[in-house]
Amino acid sequence: MMLKSALALDTAVHSMVEIFAWIEARRQATRYEVTPIPFSALKGWCFDPQTGNLQHESGRFFSIEGVRVRTDWGFVPEWDQPIICQPEVGFLGILCKRINGVLHFLLQTKIEPGNIGGIQIAPTLQATKSNYTQVHKGARPRYLEYFISPDDSKVHLDVLQSEQGSKYLRKRNRNIILEVDGDIPVEEDFCWMTLGQIGLLLKQDNLINMDTRTVISCISYGSYDRRSLELAKSVLFHDAAQANDQRHMLLSALDAERHLHTFAELISWITNMKCRYELEINRIPLNEVRCWRRDSTHIRHETGKYFSVMAVEATIESREVSSWCQPLVQSAQIGIIAFLIKEIKGVYHFLVQAKLEPGNMDIIELAPTVQCVNDNYRSSIPEQKPAYLDYVLQVKPEQIWYDTHQSEEGGRFYHEQNRSLIIEVEDDFPLDVPPTYAWMTLNQIKMFIHFNNYFNMEARSLVSAIGLW
Amino acid sequence: MMLKSALALDTAVHSMVEIFAWIEARRQATRYEVTPIPFSALKGWCFDPQTGNLQHESGRFFSIEGVRVRTDWGFVPEWDQPIICQPEVGFLGILCKRINGVLHFLLQTKIEPGNIGGIQIAPTLQATKSNYTQVHKGARPRYLEYFISPDDSKVHLDVLQSEQGSKYLRKRNRNIILEVDGDIPVEEDFCWMTLGQIGLLLKQDNLINMDTRTVISCISYGSYDRRSLELAKSVLFHDAAQANDQRHMLLSALDAERHLHTFAELISWITNMKCRYELEINRIPLNEVRCWRRDSTHIRHETGKYFSVMAVEATIESREVSSWCQPLVQSAQIGIIAFLIKEIKGVYHFLVQAKLEPGNMDIIELAPTVQCVNDNYRSSIPEQKPAYLDYVLQVKPEQIWYDTHQSEEGGRFYHEQNRSLIIEVEDDFPLDVPPTYAWMTLNQIKMFIHFNNYFNMEARSLVSAIGLW
């Protein structure tokens, strides 16, 4: 069923033209204003006099605290940094429904204060516990009731997935897709679309928000043996002209038999990485974080690198609350995330990296081939440069399958985006990779995502963008 | 291959008679003495003057510290307790080798100070990092080199698994099985045996140690569709008289198609449990642990319940170090762990419990149907009694598939054992179970174990005892 929806680009419900028109209409209809403000104007929030932690008066939502990190991974053995603490698990939920035999997903237009370009496309429900227990005294999130008591619904997936380990301390969200049967009310800022249509929107810069991307990335299309796949191929590609590269990505998603490494080998590799590297995290008061300075508008690293903490006042229509202040995290530069892919045994494999980040639940998570802030490495000595970064920056245009900018959660990050790339390497690209890297098929990636806490947010974001059509 | 070994009871290498004779010979040949001592005689260990934590002079091995636990799971919202802290990941490794076409596993006889009855059967390698970096200046553990650089070997499995969450703070071990090809030296306290033979030894009380049991529990026998299973059944059970109950357990291990719940449903259930229950763990100095008292020989709860910390002096031959002192944890009573099983859709299902324990890495782990210290509940008010405990204590003898005593790791626990039961329920036993319970096939259990940190030590211990022959 998921596969059928992923291959459906135009349906009886809405054409792509109609979907773009709906987005544009929503953009026109929604007014918003977001203004950076000094911390002194940050209503409802305060720096704790003892710890310097930046927190909400209610003690809910999230706080900015400090961590002291010690690790033998990478080139910096110890550092301090601010980090977002949000112990609550939030809901990222999408309702889906069979319409004319094809699964459609209910997405909404939504503005968050940190968004680039205002409106983005969000899941049906995007709610922290503070949201849905109505700490901010706003309206109850729409469609919440389906997710609180999913009795008449069919659960397609329901997994805990991590957020960015570089800036969140062990934060997780509950990624859910529920199928509903009967009629449900669809308000004007909501729209049904297929997975294939969502895939097309993912080719636009900064349109599908991070929360939608992570939920979509968890969808698996099933596992099949070679015989079944041959059958499907004969049926699908009876016209030889259609037998193009994408067919191979379909194979990578579905083929449970052809891969460079078995699951036992990949799990052993992950086990080895978790045993080899140590990560010691000590929470410290924000005012004891070394090398970071607070002025009237920002908390910044003294070099100006990495990221800063700032504050905004936001006035946004069509939200539970129309006006509020909050802190946001702002990256110093645009990041770059990229998967290198290579056909191995007739099936596309992705070059996955085991990456340690301070907020990880379990030392390392699996990341894209390249995940970094490019400018941080401009002046690096060569051996400290991230592997494959130079390669990614110099590929030929015809190697690039996917190249867009995708933004991070606008409820926490201010105008943060990553250049997101999927790049096919040349035939002579070596199969041998450094010890912290491994080749996996999309089918294997989906299986690891299914079992939680293996793939990081950046990797899942790229995985969501892989089109099967 | 694993399946063939699991079905092999007598092989050309050793008969069961020979294996029992070898164990008896080792028992005779090994001398040991373990004496409880007061803390004042605990050479090499001390109570930190500030925190009261009990630790080794080197700062290595393990320490006994305190935790303050807050949770909304169960009937006690907050408590303090001592806990074993051992941040190192240890190796639990078994070498295996094809002999006459059947995989044999290299196990050793070993005495740990807390063992009941002295000798138990241990993995090829059982080493903490302190062991193998030789902090205690003893000999290098035998066969270590195979596990440090497993180049010429085949990795059958290599996964991180938890230890008891009630007494260890987030402790994990690396469970490994490596296949070797060439000849390797086998010393007199080592012996090759098949999985089937290990299964027979698991029917003895306190013989196969916990470390062997957890590694064995991780072995998976593969997943098959119904057609392949029908074929295997026709071949294996051509003699109708053999077509007994065990055949169904084989189905439960191998059948990837018939089950009450899909993986998506089970993962959703686990996700829901992890979101529903909160676990807040704060490490505190041992001398601030409320309701626990230290005298000259024990650290005990003031009611005498739960467990105590004591000290022993051990003199044991055929170990790296022949004489040493160390603390051990002693349970107040014998525990009881039991899986209820039921045939559903023609395949045996296990009734699994989501259980919160303070040392868990991720709030809940999956546990046997019943896991408790029976005596703690003798006087409980009925609604606080663990579900199914009364049922387990009153079953008819013919319902019991398995009933032995198995002991916990003798390197940390003094004479600790659990009565371990596998019980088949009657036909009219309800499929409906409380929200923290779920039915799974053995095939599903093995898949979760494969992906780490789902099943707790107690459940894995029972899983290791399930015979397929």
Side-chain angles (χ1 to χ4, degrees):
Chain A
M1 270 322 279
M2 288 293 179
L3 186 57
K4 195 168 169 189
S5 182
L7 297 171
L9 300 187
D10 267 306
T11 77
V13 182
H14 298 294
S15 67
M16 282 311 292
V17 173
E18 286 165 352
I19 290 173
F20 280 115
W22 165 73
I23 294 168
E24 197 44 42
R26 295 307 310 155
R27 209 188 291 280
Q28 303 287 341
T30 317
R31 276 176 306 203
Y32 72 101
E33 197 181 333
V34 177
T35 319
I37 53 171
F39 291 126
S40 58
L42 190 55
K43 280 194 298 276
W45 295 75
C46 59
F47 289 100
D48 182 274
Q50 298 227 293
T51 60
N53 293 343
L54 178 53
Q55 56 205 30
H56 192 258
E57 284 167 355
S58 66
R60 304 291 291 275
F61 302 112
F62 62 97
S63 59
I64 310 285
E65 308 185 12
V67 285
R68 180 154 299 164
V69 184
R70 285 193 193 89
T71 181
D72 51 4
W73 192 92
F75 301 100
V76 184
E78 180 174 331
W79 72 89
D80 294 354
Q81 68 166 79
I83 202 155
I84 307 170
C85 295
Q86 187 175 359
E88 305 175 345
V89 173
F91 273 119
L92 303 179
I94 299 182
L95 291 181
C96 67
K97 186 178 162 174
R98 266 161 233 254
I99 307 178
N100 299 329
V102 179
L103 273 186
H104 283 66
F105 297 77
L106 188 60
L107 300 186
Q108 63 172 309
T109 53
K110 192 162 188 178
I111 293 187
E112 294 285 357
N115 282 4
I116 296 172
I119 268 186
Q120 294 187 2
I121 310 287
T124 319
L125 176 74
Q126 184 178 316
T128 61
K129 209 170 197 172
S130 297
N131 274 145
Y132 64 77
T133 54
Q134 290 147 301
V135 176
H136 57 17
K137 305 182 185 70
R140 183 184 164 97
R142 284 167 296 174
Y143 303 107
L144 176 64
E145 61 277 15
Y146 291 91
F147 295 91
I148 296 289
S149 51
D151 278 346
D152 292 312
S153 322
K154 193 172 155 195
V155 178
H156 279 277
L157 65 91
D158 179 7
V159 292
L160 287 171
Q161 298 291 1
S162 59
E163 303 233 343
Q164 292 86 343
S166 58
K167 288 164 197 161
Y168 278 105
L169 187 63
R170 301 189 193 111
K171 169 85 170 78
R172 293 192 297 187
N173 282 316
R174 186 170 179 176
N175 291 233
I176 316 187
I177 296 181
L178 293 183
E179 186 173 341
V180 289
D181 283 334
D183 274 349
I184 66 169
V186 176
E187 303 191 43
E188 60 180 359
D189 45 349
F190 285 79
C191 179
W192 291 110
M193 53 188 96
T194 66
L195 281 181
Q197 292 175 327
I198 296 169
L200 288 178
L201 297 181
L202 273 161
K203 293 186 185 291
Q204 307 282 315
D205 285 347
N206 302 311
L207 182 56
I208 297 288
N209 82 354
M210 192 199 71
D211 307 271
T212 309
R213 299 201 306 276
T214 174
V215 179
I216 295 296
S217 77
C218 301
I219 292 173
S220 139
Y221 302 103
S223 295
Y224 299 89
D225 61 20
R226 210 173 305 183
R227 237 174 114 246
S228 314
L229 290 173
E230 287 299 327
L231 170 65
K233 232 164 72 176
S234 335
V235 177
L236 190 60
F237 301 111
H238 51 89
D239 176 0
Q242 288 181 299
N244 56 9
D245 277 349
Q246 265 75 18
R247 155 188 97 182
H248 299 299
M249 198 44 82
L250 196 63
L251 280 188
S252 186
L254 303 178
D255 193 323
E257 294 182 347
R258 277 175 290 185
H259 37 239
L260 186 61
H261 303 293
T262 63
F263 273 108
E265 287 164 2
L266 292 173
I267 290 172
S268 175
W269 169 69
I270 295 167
T271 301
N272 191 37
M273 292 296 108
K274 288 186 179 177
C275 293
R276 176 179 297 185
Y277 295 109
E278 291 185 7
L279 171 63
E280 185 189 332
I281 295 295
N282 287 296
R283 293 174 73 155
I284 57 174
L286 187 56
N287 57 20
E288 288 180 18
V289 167
R290 295 166 299 182
C291 302
W292 291 72
R293 305 276 170 264
R294 183 175 115 200
D295 60 27
S296 61
T297 57
H298 286 82
I299 302 168
R300 267 190 250 259
H301 193 261
E302 48 191 31
T303 62
K305 279 182 167 187
Y306 313 117
F307 61 89
S308 61
V309 180
M310 57 177 296
V312 296
E313 179 170 8
T315 305
I316 296 176
E317 277 187 17
S318 70
R319 284 221 15 148
E320 297 92 6
V321 170
S322 57
S323 187
W324 72 96
C325 294
Q326 71 164 86
L328 287 174
V329 168
Q330 181 178 23
S331 256
Q333 289 98 15
I334 288 184
I336 183 163
I337 59 176
F339 263 128
L340 297 186
I341 62 172
K342 180 180 170 67
E343 202 175 323
I344 303 172
K345 299 183 173 187
V347 176
Y348 275 108
H349 281 63
F350 292 70
L351 186 53
V352 170
Q353 175 189 186
K355 190 171 173 72
L356 180 144
E357 295 187 297
N360 286 353
M361 293 273 297
D362 193 9
I363 310 172
I364 61 113
E365 290 190 11
L366 304 182
T369 321
V370 170
Q371 176 193 327
C372 66
V373 173
N374 183 18
D375 286 0
N376 280 357
Y377 298 97
R378 281 272 154 81
S379 56
S380 280
I381 45 174
E383 55 271 29
Q384 294 198 3
K385 264 208 173 173
Y388 305 111
L389 174 59
D390 282 341
Y391 182 89
V392 164
L393 296 175
Q394 293 161 13
V395 289
K396 301 186 210 82
E398 63 267 26
Q399 289 180 252
I400 298 177
W401 283 40
Y402 183 77
D403 183 3
T404 68
H405 285 75
Q406 296 294 351
S407 42
E408 300 306 317
E409 163 60 42
R412 297 291 172 271
F413 299 105
Y414 185 72
H415 292 191
E416 178 160 349
Q417 56 182 339
N418 286 302
R419 185 175 171 202
S420 303
L421 290 148
I422 299 177
I423 293 166
E424 182 170 358
V425 299
E426 304 93 338
D427 291 346
D428 60 353
F429 190 92
L431 271 186
D432 273 352
V433 291
T436 54
Y437 293 77
W439 295 103
M440 297 185 194
T441 66
L442 185 53
N443 185 271
Q444 292 178 320
I445 291 175
K446 293 284 187 181
M447 186 69 121
F448 278 113
I449 290 178
H450 196 49
F451 280 90
N452 295 356
N453 264 116
Y454 280 99
F455 274 84
N456 75 2
M457 176 63 89
E458 289 82 356
R460 299 199 312 279
S461 174
L462 274 176
V463 165
S464 74
I466 299 166
L468 298 183
W469 61 93
Chain B
M1 270 321 279
M2 288 293 178
L3 186 56
K4 195 167 171 189
S5 183
L7 298 171
L9 300 186
D10 266 307
T11 77
V13 183
H14 298 293
S15 67
M16 282 311 292
V17 173
E18 287 166 350
I19 290 174
F20 280 115
W22 165 74
I23 294 168
E24 197 47 40
R26 296 305 311 154
R27 209 188 290 280
Q28 303 288 340
T30 318
R31 276 177 305 203
Y32 72 101
E33 198 181 332
V34 177
T35 320
I37 54 172
F39 291 124
S40 59
L42 189 56
K43 279 195 299 277
W45 294 74
C46 60
F47 290 99
D48 182 275
Q50 299 227 291
T51 60
N53 293 345
L54 179 52
Q55 56 204 32
H56 193 257
E57 286 167 353
S58 67
R60 304 292 290 274
F61 301 112
F62 64 96
S63 58
I64 310 285
E65 308 186 12
V67 284
R68 180 154 299 160
V69 185
R70 287 194 191 87
T71 180
D72 50 4
W73 192 92
F75 301 99
V76 184
E78 179 175 332
W79 73 91
D80 293 354
Q81 68 166 78
I83 201 155
I84 308 171
C85 295
Q86 187 175 0
E88 305 174 346
V89 173
F91 273 118
L92 303 178
I94 300 182
L95 291 181
C96 67
K97 185 179 163 173
R98 265 160 234 254
I99 307 178
N100 299 329
V102 178
L103 274 185
H104 283 66
F105 297 77
L106 188 59
L107 300 186
Q108 64 171 308
T109 53
K110 192 163 189 178
I111 293 187
E112 295 284 356
N115 282 4
I116 297 171
I119 268 186
Q120 293 187 1
I121 310 287
T124 319
L125 176 72
Q126 184 178 317
T128 61
K129 209 169 197 172
S130 297
N131 274 145
Y132 64 78
T133 54
Q134 289 146 302
V135 176
H136 57 17
K137 305 181 186 73
R140 183 183 164 97
R142 283 167 297 175
Y143 304 106
L144 175 64
E145 61 277 14
Y146 292 91
F147 295 91
I148 295 290
S149 51
D151 278 346
D152 292 312
S153 322
K154 194 172 154 196
V155 178
H156 278 277
L157 65 92
D158 179 5
V159 292
L160 287 171
Q161 299 290 1
S162 60
E163 302 232 343
Q164 293 85 343
S166 58
K167 288 163 197 162
Y168 278 105
L169 186 62
R170 301 189 193 111
K171 170 84 168 79
R172 293 191 296 185
N173 282 317
R174 185 171 179 175
N175 292 232
I176 316 189
I177 297 182
L178 293 183
E179 185 172 342
V180 289
D181 282 335
D183 273 351
I184 66 169
V186 176
E187 304 190 41
E188 62 181 358
D189 44 351
F190 285 78
C191 179
W192 291 110
M193 52 188 94
T194 66
L195 281 181
Q197 291 175 326
I198 296 169
L200 288 177
L201 297 180
L202 273 162
K203 294 187 184 291
Q204 307 283 315
D205 286 346
N206 302 312
L207 181 55
I208 298 287
N209 82 354
M210 192 200 71
D211 307 271
T212 309
R213 300 201 305 276
T214 173
V215 179
I216 295 296
S217 77
C218 301
I219 293 173
S220 139
Y221 301 104
S223 295
Y224 299 89
D225 60 20
R226 210 173 305 182
R227 233 170 119 249
S228 314
L229 290 173
E230 286 300 327
L231 170 65
K233 232 164 71 177
S234 334
V235 177
L236 190 60
F237 301 110
H238 51 90
D239 176 359
Q242 288 180 295
N244 56 9
D245 276 347
Q246 265 75 19
R247 156 188 94 181
H248 299 298
M249 198 44 82
L250 197 61
L251 280 188
S252 186
L254 303 179
D255 194 324
E257 295 182 347
R258 276 174 290 185
H259 36 239
L260 187 60
H261 302 293
T262 63
F263 273 108
E265 287 165 3
L266 292 172
I267 290 173
S268 176
W269 169 69
I270 295 167
T271 300
N272 191 37
M273 292 295 108
K274 287 186 179 177
C275 293
R276 176 179 298 186
Y277 295 109
E278 290 184 7
L279 171 62
E280 184 189 332
I281 295 294
N282 287 296
R283 292 174 73 155
I284 57 174
L286 187 56
N287 56 20
E288 288 180 19
V289 167
R290 294 167 297 184
C291 302
W292 290 72
R293 305 275 170 265
R294 183 175 115 199
D295 60 26
S296 62
T297 57
H298 287 81
I299 301 167
R300 269 188 249 260
H301 193 261
E302 49 191 32
T303 62
K305 278 183 168 187
Y306 313 116
F307 61 90
S308 61
V309 180
M310 58 177 295
V312 296
E313 180 172 7
T315 305
I316 296 176
E317 278 185 19
S318 69
R319 286 232 355 158
E320 296 91 7
V321 170
S322 58
S323 187
W324 72 94
C325 295
Q326 71 165 84
L328 288 174
V329 168
Q330 181 177 23
S331 256
Q333 290 99 13
I334 289 184
I336 182 164
I337 58 176
F339 263 128
L340 298 186
I341 62 173
K342 179 177 170 69
E343 203 176 323
I344 303 172
K345 300 184 174 188
V347 176
Y348 274 107
H349 282 62
F350 292 70
L351 186 53
V352 170
Q353 176 190 184
K355 190 171 173 70
L356 181 145
E357 294 187 296
N360 286 353
M361 293 274 297
D362 193 11
I363 309 172
I364 62 114
E365 290 189 11
L366 303 182
T369 323
V370 170
Q371 176 194 326
C372 66
V373 174
N374 183 17
D375 285 1
N376 281 357
Y377 298 98
R378 281 273 154 78
S379 56
S380 281
I381 45 175
E383 55 271 31
Q384 295 198 2
K385 264 206 173 175
Y388 305 111
L389 175 59
D390 282 343
Y391 182 89
V392 163
L393 296 175
Q394 293 161 14
V395 290
K396 302 187 209 83
E398 62 269 25
Q399 289 179 254
I400 299 176
W401 281 41
Y402 183 77
D403 184 4
T404 68
H405 286 74
Q406 295 295 350
S407 42
E408 300 305 318
E409 162 60 42
R412 298 289 173 271
F413 300 104
Y414 186 73
H415 292 190
E416 178 159 350
Q417 57 181 339
N418 286 302
R419 185 176 171 201
S420 302
L421 291 147
I422 298 176
I423 292 166
E424 182 171 359
V425 300
E426 304 94 337
D427 291 345
D428 60 354
F429 190 91
L431 271 188
D432 274 349
V433 292
T436 55
Y437 293 78
W439 295 104
M440 297 186 196
T441 66
L442 185 54
N443 185 271
Q444 292 179 318
I445 291 175
K446 292 283 186 182
M447 186 68 120
F448 278 115
I449 290 178
H450 196 50
F451 280 89
N452 296 352
N453 265 115
Y454 280 100
F455 273 85
N456 76 2
M457 177 62 89
E458 288 81 357
R460 297 199 312 278
S461 175
L462 275 175
V463 165
S464 74
I466 299 166
L468 299 183
W469 60 92

